[in-house]
Amino acid sequence: MASEMRDVEQRIHEALLSIIHDISPNRVTVSSLCRRAGVSRSTFYTHYGSLEDVYEHLLEEALRDCSEGPYRCTTCDGGYNCPYGICDRVLSHPEYGPLFFEESLSRMVVRKVTEIHKDRYVREVVREYDITPNQAAAIFDFQLNGCLAVNRAAYRRSTFCVEDNRDTIGEFIRSGLSNFGTRDGQKG
């Protein structure tokens, strides 16, 4: 029974990813999703209360592996990796692109990434740099929203280059953190 439930949910997830690749998430209906997934509306509502519930589950699934890696948003590691892992996830699973980079889903993506990553990010950045938790939280919000906006635009233009965007934004954030509270490069 549990494997049947997982199978139905997986079919619904795959159908939704397929649909939002073709049309805006705002235009998806439960009926169109059920047709694409090959399930009845009653089966859909057995598993989910709404389309938003499906998007939430999809985001959790897509972000699941992203939260396992170490935070490498510091200057001491010799490199930079996005602390959220969204772009790398889209590279390895292109079907998630519309989920992460569709404008109409932005608030949901930001909320879900924040739930999963913000507390840990803030702790790590406060530990690494001489800043307050409020300052680290502001940097988190700036970085998350900025990275999503830059990569959303690149994704739309089909010029999605994770490495270039990540390295540019990462160096900007690292340089800012390294020089935070300094004047003319001198701690003051």
Side-chain angles (χ1 to χ4, degrees), residues 56-71:
E56 289 279 338
H57 282 100
L58 261 176
L59 280 169
E60 288 171 7
E61 176 183 293
L63 292 168
R64 187 172 300 124
D65 294 336
C66 298
S67 63
E68 299 302 315
Y71 282 103

PDB file of all heavy atoms in Angstrom, residues 56-71:
ATOM      1  N   GLU A  56       4.756  22.276  -2.854  1.00  0.00           N
ATOM      2  CA  GLU A  56       5.520  22.182  -1.603  1.00  0.00           C
ATOM      3  C   GLU A  56       6.292  20.865  -1.525  1.00  0.00           C
ATOM      4  O   GLU A  56       7.481  20.856  -1.197  1.00  0.00           O
ATOM      5  CB  GLU A  56       4.580  22.290  -0.395  1.00  0.00           C
ATOM      6  CG  GLU A  56       3.999  23.658  -0.175  1.00  0.00           C
ATOM      7  CD  GLU A  56       4.940  24.605   0.535  1.00  0.00           C
ATOM      8  OE1 GLU A  56       5.880  24.150   1.226  1.00  0.00           O
ATOM      9  OE2 GLU A  56       4.727  25.823   0.382  1.00  0.00           O
ATOM     10  N   HIS A  57       5.618  19.767  -1.828  1.00  0.00           N
ATOM     11  CA  HIS A  57       6.290  18.456  -1.791  1.00  0.00           C
ATOM     12  C   HIS A  57       7.399  18.368  -2.830  1.00  0.00           C
ATOM     13  O   HIS A  57       8.470  17.814  -2.563  1.00  0.00           O
ATOM     14  CB  HIS A  57       5.282  17.320  -1.994  1.00  0.00           C
ATOM     15  CG  HIS A  57       4.483  17.012  -0.781  1.00  0.00           C
ATOM     16  ND1 HIS A  57       3.207  17.470  -0.598  1.00  0.00           N
ATOM     17  CD2 HIS A  57       4.794  16.311   0.331  1.00  0.00           C
ATOM     18  CE1 HIS A  57       2.755  17.060   0.569  1.00  0.00           C
ATOM     19  NE2 HIS A  57       3.691  16.348   1.156  1.00  0.00           N
ATOM     20  N   LEU A  58       7.145  18.914  -4.017  1.00  0.00           N
ATOM     21  CA  LEU A  58       8.165  18.917  -5.063  1.00  0.00           C
ATOM     22  C   LEU A  58       9.392  19.713  -4.624  1.00  0.00           C
ATOM     23  O   LEU A  58      10.529  19.279  -4.844  1.00  0.00           O
ATOM     24  CB  LEU A  58       7.602  19.527  -6.348  1.00  0.00           C
ATOM     25  CG  LEU A  58       7.133  18.567  -7.405  1.00  0.00           C
ATOM     26  CD1 LEU A  58       6.515  19.323  -8.568  1.00  0.00           C
ATOM     27  CD2 LEU A  58       8.242  17.676  -7.889  1.00  0.00           C
ATOM     28  N   LEU A  59       9.166  20.875  -4.046  1.00  0.00           N
ATOM     29  CA  LEU A  59      10.290  21.682  -3.581  1.00  0.00           C
ATOM     30  C   LEU A  59      11.070  20.953  -2.490  1.00  0.00           C
ATOM     31  O   LEU A  59      12.308  20.964  -2.496  1.00  0.00           O
ATOM     32  CB  LEU A  59       9.810  23.029  -3.058  1.00  0.00           C
ATOM     33  CG  LEU A  59       9.519  24.069  -4.132  1.00  0.00           C
ATOM     34  CD1 LEU A  59       8.804  25.273  -3.536  1.00  0.00           C
ATOM     35  CD2 LEU A  59      10.807  24.494  -4.822  1.00  0.00           C
ATOM     36  N   GLU A  60      10.373  20.336  -1.568  1.00  0.00           N
ATOM     37  CA  GLU A  60      11.057  19.572  -0.527  1.00  0.00           C
ATOM     38  C   GLU A  60      11.901  18.458  -1.141  1.00  0.00           C
ATOM     39  O   GLU A  60      13.049  18.237  -0.739  1.00  0.00           O
ATOM     40  CB  GLU A  60      10.048  18.989   0.462  1.00  0.00           C
ATOM     41  CG  GLU A  60       9.433  20.030   1.360  1.00  0.00           C
ATOM     42  CD  GLU A  60       8.270  19.502   2.187  1.00  0.00           C
ATOM     43  OE1 GLU A  60       7.999  18.283   2.166  1.00  0.00           O
ATOM     44  OE2 GLU A  60       7.622  20.337   2.841  1.00  0.00           O
ATOM     45  N   GLU A  61      11.329  17.772  -2.117  1.00  0.00           N
ATOM     46  CA  GLU A  61      12.064  16.702  -2.798  1.00  0.00           C
ATOM     47  C   GLU A  61      13.281  17.262  -3.526  1.00  0.00           C
ATOM     48  O   GLU A  61      14.378  16.720  -3.443  1.00  0.00           O
ATOM     49  CB  GLU A  61      11.118  16.021  -3.794  1.00  0.00           C
ATOM     50  CG  GLU A  61      11.737  14.952  -4.647  1.00  0.00           C
ATOM     51  CD  GLU A  61      10.727  14.407  -5.639  1.00  0.00           C
ATOM     52  OE1 GLU A  61       9.751  13.762  -5.213  1.00  0.00           O
ATOM     53  OE2 GLU A  61      10.902  14.648  -6.857  1.00  0.00           O
ATOM     54  N   ALA A  62      13.088  18.351  -4.244  1.00  0.00           N
ATOM     55  CA  ALA A  62      14.174  18.939  -5.028  1.00  0.00           C
ATOM     56  C   ALA A  62      15.281  19.491  -4.144  1.00  0.00           C
ATOM     57  O   ALA A  62      16.455  19.458  -4.518  1.00  0.00           O
ATOM     58  CB  ALA A  62      13.623  20.044  -5.921  1.00  0.00           C
ATOM     59  N   LEU A  63      14.930  19.985  -2.974  1.00  0.00           N
ATOM     60  CA  LEU A  63      15.913  20.577  -2.071  1.00  0.00           C
ATOM     61  C   LEU A  63      16.508  19.574  -1.090  1.00  0.00           C
ATOM     62  O   LEU A  63      17.477  19.894  -0.406  1.00  0.00           O
ATOM     63  CB  LEU A  63      15.272  21.734  -1.294  1.00  0.00           C
ATOM     64  CG  LEU A  63      14.910  22.953  -2.129  1.00  0.00           C
ATOM     65  CD1 LEU A  63      14.024  23.900  -1.327  1.00  0.00           C
ATOM     66  CD2 LEU A  63      16.163  23.655  -2.624  1.00  0.00           C
ATOM     67  N   ARG A  64      15.944  18.401  -1.026  1.00  0.00           N
ATOM     68  CA  ARG A  64      16.373  17.411  -0.027  1.00  0.00           C
ATOM     69  C   ARG A  64      17.879  17.195  -0.053  1.00  0.00           C
ATOM     70  O   ARG A  64      18.553  17.314   0.955  1.00  0.00           O
ATOM     71  CB  ARG A  64      15.651  16.093  -0.244  1.00  0.00           C
ATOM     72  CG  ARG A  64      15.924  15.070   0.864  1.00  0.00           C
ATOM     73  CD  ARG A  64      15.061  13.832   0.735  1.00  0.00           C
ATOM     74  NE  ARG A  64      13.650  14.185   0.802  1.00  0.00           N
ATOM     75  CZ  ARG A  64      12.745  13.880  -0.136  1.00  0.00           C
ATOM     76  NH1 ARG A  64      13.108  13.178  -1.192  1.00  0.00           N
ATOM     77  NH2 ARG A  64      11.494  14.242  -0.010  1.00  0.00           N
ATOM     78  N   ASP A  65      18.433  16.873  -1.184  1.00  0.00           N
ATOM     79  CA  ASP A  65      19.865  16.591  -1.270  1.00  0.00           C
ATOM     80  C   ASP A  65      20.718  17.848  -1.167  1.00  0.00           C
ATOM     81  O   ASP A  65      21.885  17.778  -0.837  1.00  0.00           O
ATOM     82  CB  ASP A  65      20.188  15.858  -2.568  1.00  0.00           C
ATOM     83  CG  ASP A  65      19.568  14.475  -2.608  1.00  0.00           C
ATOM     84  OD1 ASP A  65      19.305  13.906  -1.535  1.00  0.00           O
ATOM     85  OD2 ASP A  65      19.335  13.970  -3.718  1.00  0.00           O
ATOM     86  N   CYS A  66      20.122  18.989  -1.462  1.00  0.00           N
ATOM     87  CA  CYS A  66      20.871  20.242  -1.404  1.00  0.00           C
ATOM     88  C   CYS A  66      21.263  20.617   0.017  1.00  0.00           C
ATOM     89  O   CYS A  66      22.212  21.354   0.215  1.00  0.00           O
ATOM     90  CB  CYS A  66      20.047  21.391  -1.995  1.00  0.00           C
ATOM     91  SG  CYS A  66      19.639  21.189  -3.732  1.00  0.00           S
ATOM     92  N   SER A  67      20.533  20.141   0.997  1.00  0.00           N
ATOM     93  CA  SER A  67      20.802  20.555   2.373  1.00  0.00           C
ATOM     94  C   SER A  67      21.856  19.686   3.050  1.00  0.00           C
ATOM     95  O   SER A  67      22.224  19.945   4.182  1.00  0.00           O
ATOM     96  CB  SER A  67      19.507  20.528   3.190  1.00  0.00           C
ATOM     97  OG  SER A  67      19.005  19.220   3.269  1.00  0.00           O
ATOM     98  N   GLU A  68      22.356  18.684   2.364  1.00  0.00           N
ATOM     99  CA  GLU A  68      23.300  17.756   2.988  1.00  0.00           C
ATOM    100  C   GLU A  68      24.740  18.250   2.963  1.00  0.00           C
ATOM    101  O   GLU A  68      25.514  17.914   3.824  1.00  0.00           O
ATOM    102  CB  GLU A  68      23.230  16.396   2.283  1.00  0.00           C
ATOM    103  CG  GLU A  68      21.864  15.741   2.366  1.00  0.00           C
ATOM    104  CD  GLU A  68      21.398  15.527   3.788  1.00  0.00           C
ATOM    105  OE1 GLU A  68      22.208  15.065   4.613  1.00  0.00           O
ATOM    106  OE2 GLU A  68      20.237  15.835   4.083  1.00  0.00           O
ATOM    107  N   GLY A  69      25.102  19.038   1.965  1.00  0.00           N
ATOM    108  CA  GLY A  69      26.487  19.437   1.806  1.00  0.00           C
ATOM    109  C   GLY A  69      26.919  20.475   2.817  1.00  0.00           C
ATOM    110  O   GLY A  69      26.100  21.111   3.464  1.00  0.00           O
ATOM    111  N   PRO A  70      28.236  20.658   2.949  1.00  0.00           N
ATOM    112  CA  PRO A  70      28.745  21.664   3.882  1.00  0.00           C
ATOM    113  C   PRO A  70      28.519  23.062   3.308  1.00  0.00           C
ATOM    114  O   PRO A  70      28.461  23.244   2.097  1.00  0.00           O
ATOM    115  CB  PRO A  70      30.239  21.353   3.943  1.00  0.00           C
ATOM    116  CG  PRO A  70      30.543  20.721   2.630  1.00  0.00           C
ATOM    117  CD  PRO A  70      29.289  19.968   2.249  1.00  0.00           C
ATOM    118  N   TYR A  71      28.396  24.027   4.194  1.00  0.00           N
ATOM    119  CA  TYR A  71      28.339  25.406   3.739  1.00  0.00           C
ATOM    120  C   TYR A  71      29.744  25.821   3.392  1.00  0.00           C
ATOM    121  O   TYR A  71      30.650  25.689   4.201  1.00  0.00           O
ATOM    122  CB  TYR A  71      27.757  26.309   4.829  1.00  0.00           C
ATOM    123  CG  TYR A  71      26.278  26.191   4.901  1.00  0.00           C
ATOM    124  CD1 TYR A  71      25.665  25.463   5.895  1.00  0.00           C
ATOM    125  CD2 TYR A  71      25.486  26.771   3.926  1.00  0.00           C
ATOM    126  CE1 TYR A  71      24.296  25.328   5.936  1.00  0.00           C
ATOM    127  CE2 TYR A  71      24.109  26.651   3.961  1.00  0.00           C
ATOM    128  CZ  TYR A  71      23.527  25.927   4.970  1.00  0.00           C
ATOM    129  OH  TYR A  71      22.179  25.799   5.002  1.00  0.00           O
TER     130      TYR A  71
END
